[in-house]
Amino acid sequence: MAHDETPLKNQAGMTSTADVEKMLEWQVERLQKLGNRIPDDMKELLGQMMGQGAMVPSTIHFVKFFDAWRAGDYTTSFESLHRYFDYTLQSSQTQNSKTYYQYALLHMAVLHADFGCFSEAVSAMQECISTARENQDMGCLNFALSWLHHLKKAHPGKMKDIESGGGLAGSERDGIAFLKSKAREGRLWSLLSSTLLSEAQLELSIGENVSKALEHILQSSYLNITHDIPSIIPAQMLMQSSVFGRLGQTHLSDSICEVLRSCYTSNSPVEEIIRATCRSAYIATQAGRYDEGMKMLADIDPSVHRTLKFHQYLTGYSGLLRLRRQIYRNNVSATLHLLHQLKAISSFADPEIVFEVQLLEILFYHRTNEHARAFNLIEDLAVKLEEEEGADIYQKCRLLSLKAITFARAGIPLKGFTLALRAASASHTAHIFPCLHEAIGALARILISQSLFDAARQLLDAVTPQAIEGGDFGLVATLYGYLVDCWVGLAGETEGKERRGLLERAVGGLGRALEYATPLEDLRTTLTLLAKKATVLRALADTESADETVALYWATKKRVERENGEAWNAGGFVGGGEGAGEEGQGKGEDR
């Protein structure tokens, strides 16, 4: 159709009403399946076809509803939805009127929820459930109950009235069991597959056995293949990628996302492809490949940005990746600018992005020695998680580790000892290995502060190889830095050849730490490691190497300061420049 656009335009008046209706139905199917918008040329062609006939099919209003909804035009989408079902009810038989009514309520509820009107969405969906029960439409009923379950999981703080309103009574596990039984009774394999994925997500969020979550994912995969349900395969692959990410197998997580983008793009919802791309970009930036990560986001089809929700998600994720880079580069002005922008979109941004931005804000406060602000932010987040039903155990473990690190950085490490132990225990039980490595690092830092160097070294020797597999270069550089502190501390307790051997191991550890800190452009860590390396080399009487390290220290500092200034002048933010001015270069560079 794209190749013969001119002949089609010339023959638009020759198209029959039946053909137009079939084309509109196909458009609706694609809009529902992929979640994107109609291309402009197709919209123009449909307009010409509609203008040639005296009778306009009611389906055109349904197409306009989906297009306006994706574009973020609430008024037009709401009006088009009313028009479609009004015309459809008038032209349909009386016995089908009630069936159309419940599906009208279903679409209205989804529309309200997507624009943040949750009370209206719950009210419409509960009426849809009542109508579906009355008409014994088990497909619509089960979908409505499943949708309420997912809405409650996505917005727990705003959906407390669902249980009291009768939408989905009982606990989350009871709701999943109910949906599974109904799906099996009605042989609704699509619903059963998505419910199994919800059960796997529940197992992960509450810290249950990871093997059970993988079992549910494999069961869902079996249903998708056996009963040919391609629309759920992307969600199943993303869930599998998330499990491997929690197990610290980042390369497997990235590989699954790459397979999804390469092999399932044509039949996958656009949202799932965007999430897979963003996850791969995030993994790349963790390894210091910032340009590669930003290129992944830039290579996404520009037409995706025509959908408001996708544009907001990509804008937020792009800002998140830039924020991480500027924090590492000690660009305080750039970081504050990005934080201000990302906080402005936090009210409608994805919860995953909001939490990651808050973690980076805590990291920024650590690097600027604003420990009180970091502690207050951690406390606020912890209170919110306690109030939320079914909060993710991953988020709780991260906050416990960060709280322990904050105490250590503030000079009162013993207050964080039990917090680090709790974080390590919970992470180990839930098999969230990146959190476990971070908690062990916090625990090692506390032990080092108490001169328990050998105990800290044993802990770090156990987790550092696993952390390397995880691909988080910042965490690996930090763990190697702690190992160096252990070796230097042990060297201070010995003499002779043993002391020299420990100092040489410290030099090697500093080199390994620099290999991971340098790609991240982590100025603060790089300068700290270079200063430590020069000191240790002088202790080994290697004056020449020490002088070279000092020269590299000053060269690195000047180079990053120059690059920061050029980036600030060149621009490149979500809505402004990417670097920082002199204010950012001077405020936190030596902290």
Side-chain angles (χ1 to χ4, degrees), residues 229-490:
I229 316 174
S231 60
I232 301 183
I233 290 178
Q236 168 241 315
M237 295 183 71
L238 281 177
M239 181 64 68
Q240 194 170 357
S241 171
S242 178
V243 172
F244 283 125
R246 289 185 176 226
L247 292 175
Q249 303 297 316
T250 310
H251 58 288
L252 289 177
S253 177
D254 189 29
S255 298
I256 292 174
C257 291
E258 186 177 354
V259 170
L260 174 58
R261 300 197 313 272
S262 302
C263 304
Y264 295 92
T265 303
S266 58
N267 294 318
S268 298
V270 177
E271 182 175 3
E272 309 295 352
I273 300 300
I274 291 175
R275 289 185 179 275
T277 305
C278 289
R279 184 170 296 176
S280 295
Y282 184 83
I283 292 172
T285 57
Q286 279 189 317
R289 304 194 305 272
Y290 298 109
D291 294 336
E292 179 183 337
M294 295 305 298
K295 187 177 184 301
M296 288 182 187
L297 299 185
D299 288 344
I300 294 177
D301 188 355
S303 63
V304 168
H305 289 274
R306 298 176 65 242
T307 302
L308 178 63
K309 181 179 179 181
F310 301 155
H311 173 72
Q312 291 173 342
Y313 188 84
L314 288 171
T315 301
Y317 227 98
S318 175
L320 174 67
L321 301 186
R322 288 191 173 101
L323 176 61
R324 175 185 292 273
R325 187 176 196 176
Q326 298 308 322
I327 290 176
Y328 280 138
R329 297 179 69 167
N330 271 9
N331 255 324
V332 177
S333 296
T335 301
L336 292 174
H337 185 75
L338 278 169
L339 279 174
H340 176 73
Q341 288 187 324
L342 291 170
K343 286 181 179 180
I345 66 173
S346 62
S347 58
F348 52 81
D350 190 88
E352 175 189 352
I353 296 178
V354 173
F355 184 72
E356 288 295 331
V357 170
Q358 290 166 335
L359 293 183
L360 290 178
E361 186 177 2
I362 294 170
L363 175 63
F364 172 65
Y365 291 147
H366 282 169
R367 287 174 171 260
T368 55
N369 292 332
E370 298 177 85
H371 304 307
R373 298 184 70 177
F375 182 82
N376 291 335
L377 181 55
I378 293 171
E379 285 291 291
D380 292 341
L381 293 176
V383 170
K384 290 180 181 178
L385 290 179
E386 289 297 327
E387 293 176 351
E388 290 183 6
E389 181 182 352
D392 195 346
I393 187 68
Y394 164 79
Q395 297 181 352
K396 294 180 179 179
C397 292
R398 286 298 306 271
L399 292 180
L400 283 174
S401 298
L402 288 172
K403 194 173 182 179
I405 293 171
T406 303
F407 279 127
R409 297 179 69 94
I412 42 177
L414 290 179
K415 281 196 171 184
F417 184 75
T418 55
L419 295 172
L421 282 178
R422 286 170 55 195
S425 176
S427 302
H428 184 265
T429 302
H431 291 81
I432 309 176
F433 291 117
C435 289
L436 174 63
H437 303 154
E438 185 179 37
I440 293 297
L443 190 59
R445 176 169 184 155
I446 295 170
L447 293 175
I448 291 170
S449 69
Q450 303 303 307
S451 300
L452 299 173
F453 302 112
D454 191 54
R457 181 193 58 79
Q458 293 180 36
L459 287 174
L460 293 168
D461 282 341
V463 301
T464 302
Q466 299 176 25
I468 293 173
E469 290 184 8
D472 188 347
F473 280 23
L475 177 60
V476 176
T478 300
L479 295 179
Y480 267 117
Y482 293 155
L483 266 174
V484 169
D485 292 340
C486 293
W487 287 325
V488 173
L490 290 171

